[in-house]
Amino acid sequence: MNPQDCRPDWVPPDAGREFTTHVVAGQVMPAPLSTPLRRRPVDKPEVLAAAIRAGDRGALARGITLIESHAAAHRVLADELLKILTPLAGGAMRVGITGAPGAGKSTFIDALGVRLCESGLRLAVLSVDPSSPITHGSILGDKTRMEKLSRCATAFIRPSPSECELGGVARRTRESIVLCEAAGFDVVIVETVGVGQSEVLVRGMVDCFMVLMIAGAGDELQGIKKGIIELADILVVNKADGDNLTRAEAARMEFGRALHYLAVPDGQWQPQVLTCSAMTGAGIAETWSTVEAFFNQARAYGDFKARRRDQAQAWLESLITEGLREAYEQKIGHLPLHAEIDAQVRSGELPAPEGARRLLAAAGFSA
């Protein structure tokens, strides 16, 4: 094919070599496969559990996929898998990391995770990615931002969609923690979505709750009023490097003074404020030393067991809430009554509380 004969219509006929655009001949694509692709059959729970206990990371990934599935056929298998593995869980240090978008959570976990793996620890990272409320899709690209950690043989990174769940975590994050612990990981890090100050749900899933901050993002003293700061065990001002080093240190001192106004009972952990740079690695070792100090004190004063009991209770309550929601949907969700009351509420004919009362009564949940 002569490129001079295959130029687009918008190229002048007498155009010289400065117009380099031309049409390229297409290629014939091979015919699609006549036979449909065969899906891998779901492993039996006992087989999958044995592989997870043996440290098979592929089996761990399949196990998490199974428990995240919405298919009713997978629910029984997932429950059986959790029943087998739950007695083997509980041995890992559960650390939750949250922070506003742009705080550098993934870069921080990449630097911290590499350090933990180099020290001989096995690390699992459960990264929650936001889902679109319109398309319900997620990019799940956090793993690509943990480039160094993803190459560590003792690290496991699992991105999961938030599926528009509130609280900054995924629907099955608690169950995923159980599977990672049964697989023998020493540390499980839960990275939240990072959408704002409402990510307090993860606090009920982990032992140590860390919040990443950046200097100059707002009035630090105003930030102390927000619930997420009050729940933090460790505050880390990230990006303390270069020209930002002075501002980061000023923010650390500001947060430190403000946290002293929060009353902490005797013997309990006093939240610490640190600075670090995930880019240069400065302060990463000190941050993990503070995490270890937190665990040592929590175990010494009994707070560790208390938090694990609270985590189990929060898990139970979330499952009850989910079960009630599913039971309601099965009884009422597809009946004409639901559509009728929904239309009345939308048009303003019926107040929403009264509509909710009627629907709950029809589902058998009235007092």
Side-chain angles (χ1 to χ4, degrees):
M1 177 181 292
N2 184 1
Q4 295 296 329
D5 298 333
C6 302
R7 290 191 162 188
D9 295 339
W10 52 267
V11 176
D14 55 346
R17 295 176 61 85
E18 66 273 18
F19 286 86
T20 59
T21 304
H22 60 272
V23 178
V24 178
Q27 297 182 356
V28 179
M29 297 298 293
L33 297 175
S34 57
T35 56
L37 295 176
R38 298 180 60 184
R39 291 181 178 271
R40 179 192 178 101
V42 178
D43 297 320
K44 294 182 178 179
E46 56 272 19
V47 175
L48 197 55
I52 291 174
R53 292 174 60 185
D56 185 339
R57 294 194 294 181
L60 176 58
R62 294 197 300 276
I64 295 177
T65 300
L66 178 64
I67 63 174
E68 288 181 343
S69 173
H70 287 273
H74 293 163
R75 177 65 62 85
V76 176
L77 299 176
D79 290 344
E80 184 64 25
L81 179 64
L82 286 170
K83 184 178 179 181
I84 297 173
L85 294 180
T86 298
L88 306 175
M93 302 167 68
R94 304 171 183 172
V95 181
I97 297 179
T98 188
K105 295 187 295 299
S106 298
T107 307
F108 173 81
I109 293 174
D110 188 42
L112 176 63
V114 170
R115 186 175 187 84
L116 296 180
C117 291
E118 290 176 347
S119 67
L121 294 174
R122 298 186 64 209
L123 170 66
V125 178
L126 302 176
S127 176
V128 183
D129 207 38
S131 299
S132 167
I134 300 176
T135 65
H136 304 288
S138 298
I139 297 176
L140 303 180
D142 285 338
K143 188 172 181 178
T144 61
R145 290 187 287 178
M146 303 176 192
E147 184 178 356
K148 296 178 181 177
L149 182 60
S150 63
R151 293 198 294 264
C152 293
T154 56
F156 172 80
I157 304 174
R158 170 70 184 210
S160 296
S162 69
E163 299 180 288
C164 301
E165 291 284 325
L166 299 177
V169 292
R171 186 173 59 92
R172 297 298 185 196
T173 298
R174 288 186 175 89
E175 290 82 350
S176 300
I177 293 175
V178 169
L179 265 60
C180 291
E181 290 182 335
F185 286 96
D186 303 299
V187 181
V188 177
I189 291 179
V190 179
E191 179 193 8
T192 71
V193 169
V195 293
Q197 300 295 328
S198 62
E199 300 170 42
V200 297
L201 194 58
V202 68
R203 176 63 176 77
M205 301 180 182
V206 298
D207 307 315
C208 181
F209 185 41
M210 185 186 304
V211 178
L212 292 191
M213 308 291 292
I214 52 177
D219 188 343
E220 282 77 7
L221 285 178
Q222 287 295 323
I224 205 68
K225 300 177 182 177
K226 300 170 182 175
I228 195 171
I229 303 298
E230 295 175 322
L231 294 174
D233 299 305
I234 300 173
L235 278 172
V236 180
V237 182
N238 193 18
K239 303 185 180 181
D241 48 40
D243 297 338
N244 200 44
L245 182 59
T246 303
R247 290 191 293 271
E249 184 62 23
R252 184 193 68 79
M253 297 177 65
E254 193 81 5
F255 278 118
R257 284 194 295 268
L259 283 175
H260 280 291
Y261 292 106
L262 300 178
V264 177
D266 294 338
Q268 291 195 1
W269 174 260
Q270 174 67 44
Q272 301 293 306
V273 187
L274 310 170
T275 59
C276 82
S277 170
M279 293 298 295
T280 66
I284 296 295
E286 291 77 7
T287 300
W288 184 248
S289 297
T290 305
V291 173
E292 291 180 318
F294 167 82
F295 274 91
N296 292 335
Q297 178 170 329
R299 289 191 173 101
Y301 287 89
D303 295 338
F304 179 80
K305 291 184 178 178
R307 288 199 176 192
R308 286 292 172 98
R309 289 193 293 268
D310 291 342
Q311 292 171 28
Q313 181 183 13
W315 189 6
L316 174 64
E317 292 175 354
S318 71
L319 291 176
I320 291 174
T321 302
E322 181 182 335
L324 289 173
R325 179 70 187 181
E326 291 178 352
Y328 170 82
E329 292 291 343
Q330 291 175 358
K331 291 184 177 180
I332 298 297
H334 303 290
L335 294 182
L337 176 64
H338 185 280
E340 178 184 342
I341 293 183
D342 182 71
Q344 293 176 356
V345 171
R346 284 173 175 268
S347 63
E349 300 176 17
L350 184 68
E354 177 62 19
R357 189 192 64 77
R358 292 184 186 180
L359 289 174
L360 290 173
F365 294 125
S366 58

